[in-house]
Amino acid sequence: NNHLVDTNSASQKLLFNQRNKNHKSRSIDFAFTRDYLQGSRFNVQKEPWKFGVQGGFFVVRPNHNIFQEMVSIILQGNYDKANGGWSKLNYGGFWGASQIQGLFSYYYGEINPTVAFELDRCRYNTMVDDPPRYSTKNNNGECRTGTFNCEDCRETPLEQMLSVHLTTCWKPWHCPLIKYPHPERCKDVHHKWFGFRKSLELSW
């Protein structure tokens, strides 16, 4: 699949290249997307892998050792909300930082980065969101993903979206498109959702 890797996001590539220069290959135990749009209260502009993992979607290969390591990290309780989050290394400062979105970001960014794989945010678990830039002035600020060019997920063709996280577009059963302005692609996503719902009802 040409859209498996987020070619516009350099975060996991930068992390892997910096810490694992001698690795020729790796086994993938964790596939995920990041919530770049939410940002962080801490300065992570040069370390984009410290943004939160999107907790609404991830794929995990069961691994008892990794599970026990995460349990140990949680029991240690080494999280400081005001001073850098997990281990005070700036894994925090966003929604869910003390929970799964921050824990996964910390573990797969700091403890075990060689087994994590970041997916294309506009095609997997897409929020149909605008480009996550540090500065929105003239829409040409540096991208939070670690590259200057930011893909606009609002313009990604519907047929290339493999899964959608209904946050920016809101929940279709609330009929938000009638009440508030939304990106045009949200209308396509909601239309698709209602089509699936209708087909389910007919199958009953």
Side-chain angles (χ1 to χ4, degrees), residues 101-120:
Q101 300 201 172
L103 174 63
F104 278 2
S105 179
Y106 169 67
Y107 180 82
Y108 290 107
E110 203 67 30
I111 307 300
N112 201 356
T114 65
V115 300
F117 187 83
E118 186 172 353
L119 300 169
D120 187 320

Side-chain angles (χ1 to χ4, degrees), residues 85-182:
W86 292 98
S87 294
K88 299 182 179 180
L89 293 174
N90 290 339
Y91 287 94
F94 46 80
W95 181 265
S98 63
Q99 302 171 29
I100 199 167
Q101 300 201 172
L103 174 63
F104 278 2
S105 179
Y106 169 67
Y107 180 82
Y108 290 107
E110 203 67 30
I111 307 300
N112 201 356
T114 65
V115 300
F117 187 83
E118 186 172 353
L119 300 169
D120 187 320
R121 53 175 282 275
C122 287
R123 291 163 178 82
Y124 292 85
N125 195 39
T126 179
M127 293 190 288
V128 195
D129 51 349
D130 52 332
R133 300 184 185 279
Y134 287 104
S135 172
T136 57
K137 185 177 181 180
N138 299 324
N139 201 35
N140 58 6
E142 183 180 358
C143 191
R144 291 177 182 175
T145 61
T147 60
F148 188 82
N149 295 320
C150 265
E151 182 174 1
D152 191 335
C153 296
R154 297 170 300 182
E155 298 179 356
T156 304
L158 183 66
E159 59 271 16
Q160 292 184 13
M161 295 180 178
L162 301 179
S163 64
V164 178
H165 191 121
L166 292 168
T167 52
T168 304
C169 291
W170 293 19
K171 307 300 186 282
W173 52 89
H174 292 158
C175 301
L177 303 184
I178 299 176
K179 306 173 185 177
Y180 310 103
H182 277 72

Side-chain angles (χ1 to χ4, degrees), residues 21-38:
K21 295 179 180 179
N22 297 324
H23 283 264
K24 300 297 182 181
S25 61
R26 54 176 172 158
S27 173
I28 303 301
D29 289 328
F30 181 64
F32 66 101
T33 60
R34 289 191 192 279
D35 191 350
Y36 291 105
L37 196 63
Q38 184 182 174

